[in-house]
């Protein structure tokens, strides 16, 4: 029987493949959950889709690739040293920024003026989404409490396990966010009045997310 060499032992190939699938399934499950669960990034994508359509919003689904690299590197380096309270305090600037985006969604929904050039708007949308992710404590907590430990465990067995887990996570999350954008893009075809109502609803959702983040930051500050 063939064996595959891990960091500390030889593992039979069938067992190695089973272990690989465990990491792939963990990555797929966590990536799907990250894409569909309500949060500042997904809410912002919905808001931008309703305002500008899928062509201008779709580049923003790549925001985690712009922001998660530094987050992952930082969390893996400081995995066992960063106080949770410090991460929670990041909700304060995150909440302020999300409230700013909510105001922008509300004012654009009331205006009938045409939007800016598609390429420029798409790039700005992606940058805003990346800033949201950087100021959102969830990626920091996720990498410090869930993703980081799983990746490190797999990497210590063999680097392929850690790489497979990360690739499965981001591929699934990317597909999920893209699906979210396309689903809500269909809602724009319901007419201008319905579209304005949906934009207002998305602005309200962004406001609630921003207030929630501010509440988390204030609670962490007074602990």
């Amino acid at each position: 029987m063939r064996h595959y060499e891990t960091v500390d032992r030889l593992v039979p190939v069938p067992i190695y493949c089973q272990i690989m699938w465990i990491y792939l399934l963990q990555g797929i499950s966590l990536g799907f959950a990250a894409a569909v669960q309500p949060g500042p990034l997904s809410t912002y994508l919905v808001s931008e889709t309703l305002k500008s359509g899928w062509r201008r919003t779709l580049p923003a689904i790549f925001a985690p690739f712009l922001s998660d690299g530094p987050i992952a590197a930082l969390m893996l380096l400081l995995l066992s040293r960063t106080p949770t309270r410090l991460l929670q305090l990041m909700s304060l600037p995150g909440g302020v920024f999300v409230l700013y985006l909510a105001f922008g969604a509300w004012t654009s929904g009331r205006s009938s003026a045409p939007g800016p050039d598609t390429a420029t708007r798409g790039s700005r949308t992606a940058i805003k989404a990346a800033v949201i992710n950087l100021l959102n404590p969830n990626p920091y907590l996720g990498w410090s409490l869930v993703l980081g430990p799983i990746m490190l465990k797999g990497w210590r067995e063999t680097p392929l396990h850690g790489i497979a887990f990360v690739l499965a996570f981001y591929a699934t999350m990317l597909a999920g966010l893209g699906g979210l954008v396309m689903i809500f893009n269909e809602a724009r075809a319901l007419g201008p009045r319905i579209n304005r109502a949906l934009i207002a609803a998305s602005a309200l959702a962004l406001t609630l997310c921003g207030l929630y983040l501010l509440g988390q930051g204030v609670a962490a500050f007074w602990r």
Side-chain angles (χ1 to χ4, degrees):
M1 179 181 293
R2 293 179 59 192
H3 288 68
Y4 191 94
E5 184 177 359
T6 64
V7 173
D8 56 358
R9 66 186 187 280
L10 291 176
V11 177
V13 171
I15 296 178
Y16 171 79
C17 293
Q18 292 175 12
I19 296 174
M20 175 70 78
W21 271 108
I22 291 174
Y23 283 99
L24 288 173
L25 289 175
Q26 287 184 95
I28 291 170
S29 300
L30 292 171
F32 179 77
V36 302
Q37 68 182 356
L41 179 59
S42 60
T43 307
Y44 176 66
L45 290 176
V46 169
S47 173
E48 285 298 312
T49 301
L50 293 172
K51 285 193 303 180
S52 309
W54 70 272
R55 294 181 185 276
R56 294 178 179 176
T57 307
L58 201 61
I61 70 173
F62 295 96
F65 289 98
L66 300 176
S67 59
D68 280 18
I71 293 174
L74 178 64
M75 289 301 99
L76 291 174
L77 180 64
L78 306 175
L79 190 58
S80 61
R81 305 176 186 177
T82 304
T84 303
R85 184 172 180 272
L86 180 61
L87 296 176
Q88 292 171 339
L89 287 174
M90 294 190 64
S91 294
L92 290 172
V96 171
F97 188 75
V98 172
L99 288 176
Y100 159 74
L101 295 175
F103 178 75
W106 174 258
T107 54
S108 67
R110 299 181 62 186
S111 172
S112 58
D117 178 72
T118 298
T120 303
R121 180 58 182 268
S123 62
R124 289 178 180 175
T125 301
I127 292 173
K128 284 184 177 180
V131 172
I132 288 178
N133 221 36
L134 281 171
L135 296 178
N136 179 16
N138 291 339
Y140 296 87
L141 293 173
W143 268 101
S144 63
L145 300 177
V146 182
L147 302 177
I150 294 176
M151 180 188 174
L152 288 176
K153 180 177 181 295
W155 186 273
R156 286 166 184 164
E157 293 171 358
T158 172
L160 286 178
H161 285 168
I163 293 172
F165 168 73
V166 172
L167 289 179
F169 173 79
Y170 281 105
T172 305
M173 183 173 65
L174 187 66
L177 292 176
L180 187 71
V181 168
M182 300 307 296
I183 288 172
F184 278 90
N185 181 70
E186 296 301 317
R188 301 180 74 242
L190 298 177
R193 293 182 61 184
I194 299 297
N195 191 41
R196 283 195 294 269
L198 290 172
I199 291 175
S202 67
L204 176 61
L206 281 170
T207 301
L208 293 176
C209 280
L211 293 175
Y212 176 74
L213 289 173
L214 284 177
Q216 281 188 323
V218 171
F221 181 79
W222 287 109
R223 266 182 213 143

